[in-house]
Amino acid sequence: MSRSRLNIFIEPEHAKRLDQLAVHKGVSKSAVIAAALASFLSPDGGDQREAATAKRLDRLSRQFDRLERDQNVLIETMALYIRYFLTVSIPVPEGQQDAARAQGRARYAQFIEQLARHLQRGRSLVREVHEDLAPGASTDSIAPVADPEEADLEPKA
């Protein structure tokens, strides 16, 4: 096989990265440059890069959609809880304020313990909510409640 000899000038940083890549791959610098040049000059190289980029963008879009869905679930959950709490909470008489605060601290501590156990299990509460809504259905296809006014706020017996 006949090869042509070329003398080229590259930036010092590129030369350093070329050296590192050649050592890391266990090949000569000429082999790295030849592979890069072949990829660059390949007629379908651009198509392959475009396909890889499109695949990555699709994956990022799906991840973003899941994040948006989960965020909507969290917003709806918080809004419904706040409305429910404000609807059913009664004012505490002055003489019972200290006891109510102590009870609140105890409930908060219990909440934190439950949250810690839940996080340690590595299970997503949002996923559990989706599974409770539609057992066996894909969680990617479940849409959040569009109108919180339509949600039932009455306590269950």
Side-chain angles (χ1 to χ4, degrees), residues 25-92:
K25 296 281 185 182
V27 296
S28 69
K29 290 188 269 185
S30 291
V32 172
I33 292 171
L37 190 57
S39 174
F40 186 79
L41 296 176
S42 172
D44 61 341
D47 292 341
Q48 290 174 348
R49 286 189 295 276
E50 187 176 326
T53 301
K55 185 177 178 179
R56 287 185 195 113
L57 286 174
D58 287 345
R59 185 174 27 123
L60 288 172
S61 292
R62 286 191 305 276
Q63 289 173 338
F64 180 77
D65 289 345
R66 282 191 300 273
L67 286 172
E68 185 177 33
R69 179 207 61 205
D70 291 354
Q71 181 183 17
N72 285 333
V73 168
L74 293 172
I75 289 168
E76 293 297 327
T77 302
M78 184 60 108
L80 289 172
Y81 174 76
I82 290 169
R83 185 186 311 153
Y84 173 80
F85 179 81
L86 294 175
T87 302
V88 300
S89 294
I90 57 173
V92 177

Side-chain angles (χ1 to χ4, degrees), residues 82-113:
I82 290 169
R83 185 186 311 153
Y84 173 80
F85 179 81
L86 294 175
T87 302
V88 300
S89 294
I90 57 173
V92 177
E94 189 67 38
Q96 297 175 356
Q97 295 268 331
D98 289 339
R101 284 189 192 99
Q103 180 67 37
R105 285 190 294 272
R107 288 179 178 168
Y108 181 73
Q110 182 182 18
F111 168 77
I112 295 298
E113 288 173 14

Side-chain angles (χ1 to χ4, degrees), residues 126-139:
V126 172
R127 181 165 306 224
E128 287 180 18
V129 168
H130 288 304
E131 289 172 359
D132 288 346
L133 292 174
S138 167
T139 58

